[in-house]
Amino acid sequence: MTVEMKNQNLNKTLLNRVLDEVRARRDEFETKRHVPKDMIAQLKELGIYRAHVPKCFGGDGLSPSEFLKMIEAISEADGSAGWVASFGSAQVYLAALPKETLAQVYANGPDVAFAGGLFPVQPAKKVEGGYIVNGVWKFASGCKGADLLGVGIGTGQGGKPLTAVLKPEDVEIVENWEVLGMRGTGSHDLKVKDVFVPDDWTFVRGGAPSIEEPICQYPSIAYAAQVLAVVNLGVARAALNEVSQTAGRASITGAPKMADRAYVRISIAKAEATLRSARAFFYEATDAAWESIMKGDGVSADQTSMLRLAAVQATRAGAEAVQAAYMLAGTSAIYDGHPLQRHLRDAMVVTQHAFLNESMYDGAGSVMLGVPPMPGFI
């Protein structure tokens, strides 16, 4: 066995161990309404938070598909854990910080967890050498386990959010994540009062990177949509697996088993085909953009549009597959503790994200027809 094969086996063993831990603790995440720091530590061990850290700072240099498939696997185990893990992609955002700042960020190693609550943007007071930051920001997923936190303090180049990076001790987490779906993401509000942030600890989200590595050339806003969309591919797989595993059980009413009913077989096959088709498109678009970067051609507007389109389609197809599984499961699925309850609630939350809503189809259609898309789409 080669060294490479041994490393692959070790990585697979570690992934399976982490996935088992996530499955065993997903009720805990939901009850606590966040993924605890000791679980974040295991995600760090798995390499989630160093996957896209620049190699010059000890990162692993994974391709987008490699990272996305890890998030998909974690999301199959638990949607909230997958959502929190997906913010390992934020290192692509952080590459817009100055090199000297990045050296400080990764001074103790590449396993740095970043979380942000960028909106609503709160204009900060400009002072000599930086900004005085005040305000409250929403939807800071994973904030309770983060090593660094970002908040939106204005607009930068191209109207994109200017982001201030802060230490956890400078931020108050307002625990108000009272939702039905994605409960374990801990997407609480962030509150900051009179904190000075130096200029070199701010960056424009989606701005030009200071590091010249391939992953830094990948469209960061499109990628932010992808890492969330892939969560629904994992949640949908879990939902369809749940139906398949229970289809052979006897009905409490004496009716034929689910597997013996033609409409169940037809519905599960259609859901499987829809999910696999969306997944294939998703990774096809991802790999096409990455291959273009690796060849030195960058990513075209058309390719970026396809990334956005594939992300929203994966989100919708995943949600539809979960809904189909729920409909097939019958009355057993209405109970609080049934796995499909969580899958259904989680999948519908993903569809509501601003990067993944119905307007993304309009943006992609605009690019296809040569019409200027909405601002920020490309």
Side-chain angles (χ1 to χ4, degrees):
M1 183 181 290
T2 65
V3 172
E4 183 179 355
M5 290 174 66
K6 287 181 179 178
N7 288 337
Q8 287 176 346
N9 287 338
L10 286 172
N11 291 340
K12 188 174 181 181
T13 299
L14 177 58
L15 174 61
N16 288 335
R17 177 176 66 74
V18 172
L19 294 179
D20 286 342
E21 180 84 1
V22 169
R23 291 188 191 97
R25 298 180 62 183
R26 56 193 174 194
D27 288 340
E28 174 194 345
F29 305 158
E30 182 145 321
T31 299
K32 290 182 175 178
R33 295 183 185 265
H34 71 273
V35 177
K37 284 189 175 181
D38 68 303
M39 190 72 244
I40 298 296
Q42 293 188 51
L43 294 176
K44 287 181 178 181
E45 184 184 0
L46 186 59
I48 293 298
Y49 295 99
R50 64 175 176 268
H52 291 328
V53 171
K55 286 186 176 181
C56 60
F57 295 116
D60 286 346
L62 295 191
S63 71
S65 280
E66 289 174 307
F67 179 78
L68 288 164
K69 286 175 181 176
M70 285 200 297
I71 302 305
E72 184 181 3
I74 295 168
S75 300
E76 184 178 338
D78 178 57
S80 288
W83 188 274
V84 171
S86 77
F87 285 85
S89 65
Q91 312 305 334
V92 178
Y93 281 159
L94 292 181
L97 284 168
K99 268 188 180 180
E100 296 76 14
T101 304
L102 289 172
Q104 296 177 59
V105 168
Y106 302 120
N108 296 319
D111 298 305
V112 175
F114 176 79
L118 301 189
F119 300 101
V121 169
Q122 307 282 353
K125 181 181 179 182
K126 187 71 179 75
V127 296
E128 184 177 355
Y131 297 85
I132 301 296
V133 178
N134 285 280
V136 178
W137 294 263
K138 302 190 73 64
F139 302 120
S141 300
C143 59
K144 296 199 74 172
D147 301 303
L148 292 173
L149 296 160
V151 295
I153 60 167
T155 54
Q157 183 181 7
K160 297 173 182 176
L162 180 64
T163 306
V165 179
L166 302 106
K167 297 176 181 178
E169 55 265 32
D170 293 327
V171 181
E172 177 188 348
I173 296 175
V174 182
E175 296 194 30
N176 58 358
W177 187 236
E178 301 295 332
V179 294
L180 290 178
M182 291 291 177
R183 286 177 179 166
T185 62
S187 304
H188 302 293
D189 289 0
L190 302 181
K191 185 176 182 179
V192 178
K193 183 173 176 57
D194 294 330
V195 174
F196 173 74
V197 178
D199 286 322
D200 54 5
W201 282 84
T202 67
F203 67 94
V204 175
R205 188 186 70 165
S210 63
I211 303 294
E212 294 182 4
E213 291 193 16
I215 191 60
C216 299
Q217 299 174 43
Y218 200 84
S220 58
I221 303 300
Y223 198 38
Q226 286 189 282
V227 300
L228 302 178
V230 78
V231 171
N232 256 14
L233 293 181
V235 172
R237 171 52 52 208
L240 293 182
N241 286 349
E242 178 67 25
V243 172
S244 297
Q245 290 163 9
T246 59
R249 296 177 187 171
S251 169
I252 62 172
T253 66
K257 297 174 183 177
M258 288 171 58
D260 293 332
R261 305 175 204 177
Y263 79 88
V264 173
R265 297 193 297 267
I266 292 169
S267 295
I268 201 73
K270 285 183 175 180
E272 184 73 26
T274 298
L275 182 63
R276 284 180 181 251
S277 297
R279 186 178 187 275
F281 175 30
F282 183 83
Y283 284 110
E284 174 192 294
T286 302
D287 291 339
W290 185 243
E291 287 167 14
S292 183
I293 289 171
M294 298 306 286
K295 286 192 295 185
D297 296 334
V299 180
S300 69
D302 286 344
Q303 287 175 319
T304 301
S305 180
M306 284 299 105
L307 294 175
R308 303 298 298 265
L309 179 59
V312 70
Q313 185 63 13
T315 300
R316 291 296 189 272
E320 289 169 9
V322 174
Q323 288 174 311
Y326 177 81
M327 294 289 286
L328 292 173
T331 54
S332 63
I334 71 173
Y335 288 94
D336 232 2
H338 197 284
L340 284 171
Q341 278 291 325
R342 181 187 286 112
H343 300 329
L344 184 65
R345 290 186 275 107
D346 287 352
M348 297 314 297
V349 170
V350 181
T351 67
Q352 302 302 94
H353 195 279
F355 284 169
L356 299 168
N357 64 32
E358 200 76 6
S359 67
M360 297 303 112
Y361 288 109
D362 176 55
S366 296
V367 174
M368 292 170 67
L369 299 178
V371 177
M374 68 189 81
F377 183 75
I378 297 299

